[in-house]
Amino acid sequence: QVAQNPQGPVSQSLAQIARQQQAAGPGATNQAITQIAQQTATPGAAPVTQVIVQVAVQVALPDVNQQITQVAQQVAQQTGSNPQEVEQVLRQVAIQIAGEGGNANQAITQIGQQVSGGGEGGQGDEVSQSLVQIARQQAEGESGEVSQKITQIGRQVAQGGDVSQTLVQVAEQTAAATPAPPAPSVNQQITQVAQQVASNTGGDPGQVEQVLQQVAIQTASSGGNINQTVTQIAQQVAQNPQGPVSQSLAQIARQQASGQNVEQDIVQVGRQIATGQDVTQSLTQVAVQRAAGQNTDQQITQVAQQVAQQTGSNPQEVEQVLRQIAIQVANQGGNANQAITQIGQQIAEGEEDVSQSLTQIAQQAAAGDVGEVNQDITQVARQAAEGGDVSQTLVQAAEQDAG
């Protein structure tokens, strides 16, 4: 570890213990060395490098050590991660900052405030996910890479950089690292996609970019491919700039900007994408749940199945159209739950023209006629948001297409 990263956390830990010996005499140092030896000799003990960092924090930064444990437990509760792995990363960060001449206590306090909800606009979610991402990489044996990243964090923070922002940036860089450099980089691609989504939905590019960053980090933390995920989202947005992916990202971004906690939504998206679920399906499902509730999402599935039974259509294609309607109704300021309920009631009563209209729009979407489909759904959403009859508008839109 020292040879791989001479100025890294292990070197800094040994230096901190040595400084303690000069300041407090050999007694405290002997106790620390004895503790390292005993812990290392215990069967199933952590690697000696981890023990050195742990003891160094306990000796040199006793006030910080307890706070680190609390923050790690909060992160683990929020993300389902291993608290010991997160704790180890936080110890390395603290000892590195202290070794670089920075204020480790202040840095850990700031991280703790962000994680516990002190940050605005969801930055606490990003910080938690970033810590998990770095911790998992270390647990998977990439200790050399992680050590270099923690050295980078320590230096930037010691020079006055924001510790939370630095953590997020480093986690993104680490998650996106691949043998062949991507072109463009993940960060550049996220910025480009956010700007495209914002310009086509009326959203805020900074808010959309933050959601994309969180999705990327969470996907990587769940074992997914961050480059592939961002590329898929970019392709969907490029193919259909006003379509379901753009509308979903705009919806989640608005919810987060309004102060709602979307962390669980981001975790759900990241996990689903990491396990191979379609990006569009994951994002729209979560956006509907956030905009109109879990019951509405379940109702959409039921209505789509009813339509498919009545018309012989593909239920997944109809479901996607209904989700896009719900999201755009919410984005227009309307009641998405009420709109879907009204459509469901009409179909349950045997209104075949509503079922046929949904089927027609779904088939157009499947055939790639996204411009016409977006126009239809936007028309329906606006009418619904203004209190109009959503089923009647659906039929009219489909008739215009057919005519």
Side-chain angles (χ1 to χ4, degrees):
Q1 281 285 332
V2 173
Q4 289 175 349
N5 190 4
Q7 295 179 310
V10 173
S11 298
Q12 298 292 351
S13 297
L14 292 169
Q16 285 288 349
I17 295 171
R19 289 189 192 103
Q20 283 296 114
Q21 184 174 21
Q22 291 178 335
T29 306
N30 290 340
Q31 185 178 351
I33 292 170
T34 300
Q35 185 177 346
I36 291 170
Q38 289 175 340
Q39 289 190 23
T40 306
T42 304
V48 64
T49 52
Q50 292 186 19
V51 176
I52 289 172
V53 174
Q54 179 180 350
V55 171
V57 172
Q58 291 171 353
V59 171
L61 305 166
D63 295 336
V64 176
N65 191 53
Q66 184 176 358
Q67 193 175 12
I68 284 173
T69 301
Q70 293 169 350
V71 173
Q73 289 170 344
Q74 280 184 305
V75 170
Q77 288 170 355
Q78 291 174 6
T79 63
S81 56
N82 184 315
Q84 285 75 31
E85 292 174 2
V86 177
E87 193 169 337
Q88 181 60 25
V89 168
L90 285 167
R91 285 199 182 104
Q92 288 176 280
V93 169
I95 208 74
Q96 188 70 40
I97 291 170
E100 297 283 351
N103 188 327
N105 199 336
Q106 180 180 323
I108 297 299
T109 298
Q110 184 182 341
I111 292 172
Q113 289 171 344
Q114 295 282 354
V115 168
S116 63
E120 296 181 1
Q123 189 175 12
D125 302 343
E126 290 184 282
V127 172
S128 294
Q129 290 160 10
S130 299
L131 284 167
V132 172
Q133 168 65 21
I134 297 171
R136 288 207 175 129
Q137 286 194 293
Q138 182 161 266
E140 289 167 3
E142 298 180 28
S143 56
E145 176 73 17
V146 169
S147 176
Q148 294 292 338
K149 296 303 180 185
I150 288 173
T151 301
Q152 179 183 342
I153 293 168
R155 284 178 181 164
Q156 289 187 17
V157 173
Q159 292 168 6
D162 182 281
V163 65
S164 301
Q165 185 177 353
T166 305
L167 257 174
V168 173
Q169 290 172 347
V170 167
E172 287 177 2
Q173 292 165 6
T174 307
T178 57
S185 72
V186 168
N187 287 336
Q188 288 174 327
Q189 201 170 18
I190 283 174
T191 300
Q192 291 167 0
V193 172
Q195 290 170 344
Q196 195 171 5
V197 169
S199 66
N200 283 283
T201 62
D204 181 278
Q207 294 168 4
V208 176
E209 185 171 351
Q210 187 172 340
V211 170
L212 281 167
Q213 287 172 342
Q214 290 172 271
V215 169
I217 292 170
Q218 185 59 49
T219 301
S221 297
S222 301
N225 186 318
I226 189 173
N227 285 304
Q228 183 179 330
T229 298
V230 174
T231 298
Q232 285 177 351
I233 293 173
Q235 288 171 344
Q236 292 285 347
V237 171
Q239 290 168 6
N240 192 357
Q242 294 179 318
V245 171
S246 294
Q247 297 291 344
S248 298
L249 287 168
Q251 172 64 22
I252 296 169
R254 285 192 188 102
Q255 297 283 345
Q256 181 162 265
S258 69
Q260 295 192 38
N261 187 348
V262 300
E263 181 183 344
Q264 290 303 318
D265 301 326
I266 301 291
V267 169
Q268 182 180 335
V269 171
R271 286 178 180 168
Q272 288 179 350
I273 293 173
T275 55
Q277 186 165 319
D278 179 73
V279 167
T280 303
Q281 185 179 350
S282 298
L283 278 169
T284 54
Q285 182 178 357
V286 165
V288 169
Q289 290 171 0
R290 170 55 58 179
Q294 182 77 35
N295 291 339
T296 300
D297 188 59
Q298 292 172 347
Q299 190 176 17
I300 284 173
T301 301
Q302 294 167 355
V303 171
Q305 289 170 344
Q306 283 181 307
V307 170
Q309 288 170 356
Q310 291 175 9
T311 64
S313 56
N314 184 316
Q316 283 75 32
E317 292 174 1
V318 176
E319 192 171 332
Q320 194 57 50
V321 169
L322 286 166
R323 283 207 175 104
Q324 192 173 347
I325 289 172
I327 293 164
Q328 286 201 230
V329 169
N331 283 344
Q332 296 280 348
N335 188 323
N337 196 338
Q338 182 178 322
I340 296 301
T341 298
Q342 186 180 342
I343 292 172
Q345 288 171 344
Q346 295 279 347
I347 289 168
E349 292 169 3
E351 295 288 344
E352 293 184 5
D353 52 352
V354 177
S355 295
Q356 293 293 346
S357 299
L358 281 168
T359 298
Q360 182 180 323
I361 296 171
Q363 287 171 345
Q364 284 181 297
D369 190 4
V370 295
E372 194 68 52
V373 169
N374 289 340
Q375 188 176 336
D376 292 342
I377 290 175
T378 300
Q379 181 182 342
V380 171
R382 283 178 182 162
Q383 291 285 339
E386 293 169 2
D389 186 302
V390 66
S391 300
Q392 185 179 350
T393 309
L394 254 177
V395 174
Q396 290 172 347
E399 286 176 351
Q400 288 168 7
D401 293 344

